[in-house]
Amino acid sequence: MEENGEKRSLDFIRTIVEEDNESGKFGGRVATRFPPEPNGYLHIGHAKSICLNFGIAGEYGGTCNLRYDDTNPAKEDTEYVEAIERDVRWLGFDWDGLYHASDYFQALYDHAVTLIKAGKAYVDSLSADEIREHRGTLSEPGKNSPWRDRPAQENLDLFRRMKEGEFPEGAHVLRAKIDMASGNINMRDPVMYRIIQEPHYRTGDEWHIYPMYDYAHCVSDSIEKITHSLCTLEFEDHRPLYDWFLDELAVYHPQQIEFSRLNLNYAVMSKRRLLELVRDGYVNGWDDPRMPTISGLRRRGYTPESIRNFCTRIGVTKQESVIDISLLEHSVRDDLNKRALRVMAVLNPLKVTITNYPEGGSEELDAVNNPEDPSMGTRKVPFSGQLYIERDDFMENPPKKFFRLSPGVEVRLRYAYFLRCEGVVKDENGEITELLCTYDPATRGGDAPDGRKVKATIHWVSAPHAIKAEVRLYDRLFTVPEPGADGEDYKEHLNPDSLTVLKDRPVEPGLADAEPGVNYQFERLGYFTPDARDSKKGALVFNRTVTLKDSWAKEKNKP
RNA sequence: UGGGGCAUAGUAUAACGGUAGUACUAUGGACUCUGGAUCCAUCAGUCUAGGUUCGAAUCCUAGUGCCCCAGCCA
């Protein structure tokens, strides 16, 4: 485990892979797969699995297949298939083989026949309720089905007729004959096939029986010559069954390894809940920017790199854990800081009139596109005597540590001039409607020739030049770290303020051509990106990806 | 009370019998034409009790706590 004299720290799965490569267990071969069921959109938890499976394949010169676990026609749909492929690609991965469990329906059927002939599987004609009753409980053994010793010929005949569609759903199932007294409930004669009279999105009405996960998955892995079959912890109990099928069939045998799934606080991650949020309109679709789905994060402005980096940071173990959402946010900020174009926009505008600026005059000033990356160049930003600044950047009676604009105080307008507030205009309610200020022409570009300093730099947009945009601010979808944790309905914890829509906000005119897929930093505010669905030329819509860290906000909230 | 698994700062994650380290968070400071970024510092941890050993997060024993499993879902 030493490379270039430096110790590498491998996660437990990579450690196993390296050991297997050394011992020659799989002939030095590494083959993984990412096996989603096309019954929903991929989320950040899937990203962990994707990064793990594709990552390991890449690191060890192996292969990684994308395989749909499409064994339940009642739940699956091509819409999901397309979304899954788009999301995996967008994350930056490409699969070696693209397969479906449904590609293997015939092979699976043939293998089932083999097990029946060997007396290792039988057709059970008990009802679902009766099977449950016979299964026993966690602490009591189950009872054998009266059909358990049906002759092989009869099993074969029944199984064939199940396939042909002769029976209604629930009439029969095919079960593995293992051990009804096993402490592991998965081994109490698990169902291998059930009758489903519904067309499959790929195989149509060719089949009337469909294999269960436990049977289909291990055989699919075997067919694809997977070496390391990585899955989440809840399948640990299923491993003996995974092994049993492959051993009984005497076929190629991958190794199943389980790791803990990703949990994020202030979010829900189960497909059931995500589907419910979408279906019942709590959010606007699977790609709503508040959703922890890959498509939602993409629309929100997250980059593939930031998600991959996040997945690296969280690691891979068998410990149940809840990752702090702030780590995800840190990952985007870290990435966007390096790549986002800096621009100026004002979300909560306050009008400023510069009383000593030439009437009706304007000029263009140079602004840096990204101080972290000089190669991104500079741009011209129009300036005039009529500006918008952020309302939060002015206080008439500032507290001690407030460094921004206030009466008599001088601040710098970013890339422009020093500005001093000389007067405050209010309406009949006492609300501030406008600031009357003066500027120092000698400070053009932002530096004073006499060397005097200001405590703050604020952003601005020239009012006559500004274009207007809609800005959508997102906050966490839930108000508590673990929604629904105390047995309450997680929907009780939905954050009513998770979306704030701001209309007609002034932004600098250079943004007129902003296209989705480009990340901007609105200086001093946060990272924003045009909404891929709703933003149009002339009707811009920006999504806030994440705020900038704001130490004044903290200071402000101190008691 | 059947079976399977997991316990290291607030949250994650390293250390594989030899100085408990890293990241995020929080706090304080330096710097700054973003109160951003960057840099520095601080707070803070081996589930418990025994044992083995010169030495234990690591090995042994006994406890404790938490998670998963009784779909014809995956």
Side-chain angles (χ1 to χ4, degrees):
Chain A
M1 306 241 180
E2 228 162 270
E3 205 173 60
N4 305 329
E6 263 185 43
K7 272 190 192 149
R8 279 183 303 151
S9 177
L10 294 175
D11 61 65
F12 80 102
I13 294 179
R14 277 175 248 252
T15 302
I16 292 171
V17 170
E18 291 205 353
E19 284 166 0
D20 289 346
N21 281 348
E22 233 160 89
S23 72
K25 178 171 179 182
F26 296 105
R29 210 166 46 82
V30 175
T32 57
R33 98 272 91 114
F34 172 62
E37 183 189 15
N39 69 343
Y41 279 57
L42 261 25
H43 55 64
I44 184 80
H46 292 107
K48 175 179 181 178
S49 175
I50 291 168
C51 290
L52 218 211
N53 280 293
F54 283 93
I56 285 179
E59 289 157 34
Y60 295 101
T63 56
C64 182
N65 294 340
L66 173 59
R67 181 175 73 234
Y68 295 103
D69 241 328
D70 53 356
T71 56
N72 187 349
K75 292 188 176 176
E76 296 148 10
D77 195 275
T78 46
E79 178 201 349
Y80 298 126
V81 169
E82 287 159 16
I84 288 167
E85 282 168 39
R86 191 172 18 186
D87 289 347
V88 173
R89 281 223 171 80
W90 178 77
L91 270 178
F93 299 103
D94 201 1
W95 42 89
D96 290 280
L98 174 56
Y99 301 115
H100 308 76
S102 54
D103 294 335
Y104 311 135
F105 280 172
Q106 187 60 49
L108 256 356
Y109 180 84
D110 294 341
H111 277 127
V113 167
T114 303
L115 289 176
I116 293 172
K117 286 180 178 165
K120 298 292 184 182
Y122 62 98
V123 172
D124 196 346
S125 306
L126 253 27
S127 70
D129 284 344
E130 289 167 326
I131 286 182
R132 188 177 339 105
E133 284 160 19
H134 279 72
R135 190 152 29 226
T137 68
L138 292 178
S139 52
E140 299 157 31
K143 299 186 297 266
N144 285 173
S145 164
W147 306 104
R148 198 173 197 258
D149 294 312
R150 191 121 70 172
Q153 269 317 312
E154 195 179 322
N155 284 324
L156 254 12
D157 178 61
L158 250 13
F159 187 49
R160 182 187 53 76
R161 291 163 59 198
M162 284 165 63
K163 181 189 81 164
E164 304 296 339
E166 281 190 31
F167 306 111
E169 291 188 11
H172 309 283
V173 291
L174 184 73
R175 292 231 254 169
K177 192 191 281 189
I178 307 179
D179 177 11
M180 289 306 292
S182 173
N184 181 347
I185 289 177
N186 296 118
M187 300 298 271
R188 318 238 263 231
D189 288 12
V191 173
M192 292 171 62
Y193 272 93
R194 75 288 211 195
I195 297 167
I196 299 179
Q197 302 290 5
E198 239 176 290
H200 186 277
Y201 77 99
R202 286 190 76 241
T203 60
D205 50 16
E206 186 184 347
W207 296 86
H208 297 91
I209 54 172
Y210 292 89
M212 298 285 290
Y213 165 85
D214 284 305
Y215 176 59
H217 200 86
C218 59
V219 174
S220 300
D221 281 347
S222 177
I223 291 171
E224 292 176 22
K225 295 285 187 289
I226 299 303
T227 54
H228 304 270
S229 178
L230 314 180
C231 62
T232 44
L233 248 31
E234 67 270 26
F235 292 104
E236 215 151 16
D237 290 348
H238 296 240
R239 193 173 62 233
L241 184 51
Y242 184 104
D243 293 335
W244 186 90
F245 281 123
L246 298 181
D247 287 343
E248 292 298 333
L249 256 11
V251 293
Y252 170 83
H253 196 147
Q255 178 182 2
Q256 175 178 307
I257 304 169
E258 310 84 13
F259 63 93
S260 60
R261 71 180 330 132
L262 168 64
N263 297 294
L264 264 189
N265 59 16
Y266 296 99
V268 296
M269 208 75 90
S270 81
K271 276 194 185 177
R272 200 202 97 235
R273 287 172 169 182
L274 293 177
L275 177 63
E276 190 176 23
L277 290 174
V278 172
R279 196 194 51 214
D280 296 343
Y282 294 101
V283 295
N284 305 311
W286 285 98
D287 66 348
D288 185 299
R290 294 166 292 182
M291 291 283 272
T293 50
I294 305 294
S295 51
L297 292 167
R298 173 171 60 231
R299 194 171 161 196
R300 174 96 170 234
Y302 276 71
T303 56
E305 289 80 0
S306 68
I307 294 174
R308 282 191 254 120
N309 289 342
F310 170 74
C311 289
T312 301
R313 282 181 231 254
I314 61 176
V316 181
T317 67
K318 297 190 73 146
Q319 283 151 248
E320 305 258 1
S321 60
V322 180
I323 306 288
D324 201 317
I325 191 96
S326 66
L327 186 61
L328 217 209
E329 294 175 344
H330 172 261
S331 299
V332 236
R333 285 196 189 99
D334 190 43
D335 187 45
L336 259 20
N337 178 47
K338 289 177 235 155
R339 68 203 315 158
L341 285 158
R342 312 294 136 120
V343 294
M344 292 194 284
V346 175
L347 297 188
N348 195 200
L350 173 59
K351 206 172 141 193
V352 167
T353 297
I354 303 176
T355 53
N356 61 338
Y357 195 80
E359 183 81 28
S362 73
E363 63 190 301
E364 289 198 315
L365 298 165
D366 290 308
V368 173
N369 285 331
N370 185 350
E372 302 290 319
D373 181 2
S375 76
M376 288 173 75
T378 61
R379 68 186 187 284
K380 298 283 187 189
V381 182
F383 183 85
S384 71
Q386 300 289 324
L387 307 177
Y388 292 115
I389 66 165
E390 210 67 59
R391 220 161 244 283
D392 286 352
D393 285 339
F394 176 80
M395 280 187 99
E396 194 171 12
N397 301 298
K400 196 102 184 84
K401 289 190 178 173
F402 185 84
F403 303 138
R404 281 115 87 146
L405 196 62
S406 52
V409 167
E410 194 173 49
V411 297
R412 173 167 38 233
L413 293 169
R414 181 89 159 140
Y415 300 124
Y417 296 95
F418 283 14
L419 184 81
R420 182 185 300 277
C421 175
E422 309 284 5
V424 177
V425 180
K426 296 182 184 177
D427 64 13
E428 61 276 12
N429 302 319
E431 288 286 307
I432 299 171
T433 56
E434 184 183 351
L435 261 27
L436 301 176
C437 301
T438 56
Y439 82 124
D440 178 355
T443 57
R444 189 174 200 272
D447 288 304
D450 63 6
R452 75 182 191 277
K453 303 282 183 198
V454 288
K455 291 277 272 184
T457 299
I458 65 172
H459 62 277
W460 51 273
V461 173
S462 168
H465 302 92
I467 57 173
K468 299 296 173 73
E470 176 175 324
V471 180
R472 297 174 183 171
L473 307 181
Y474 301 102
D475 198 354
R476 39 190 63 153
L477 231 200
F478 294 93
T479 54
V480 297
E482 293 186 59
D486 309 324
E488 299 157 304
D489 184 352
Y490 72 97
K491 295 191 291 301
E492 297 290 311
H493 299 128
L494 277 161
N495 178 5
D497 302 317
S498 61
L499 169 62
T500 304
V501 178
L502 271 22
K503 298 212 183 261
D504 298 322
R505 305 299 148 141
V507 303
E508 64 173 75
L511 246 16
D513 298 319
E515 297 276 1
V518 180
N519 299 97
Y520 295 94
Q521 184 195 100
F522 289 1
E523 291 215 33
R524 304 206 306 132
L525 296 173
Y527 295 100
F528 294 78
T529 195
D531 185 82
R533 279 189 189 280
D534 301 335
S535 191
K536 305 271 182 313
K537 248 200 177 81
L540 296 170
V541 179
F542 286 94
N543 291 325
R544 183 173 70 192
T545 310
V546 67
T547 60
L548 246 28
K549 290 220 281 188
D550 183 355
S551 51
W552 166 244
K554 273 180 204 160
E555 186 64 38
K556 197 168 54 175
N557 290 329
K558 279 182 184 171

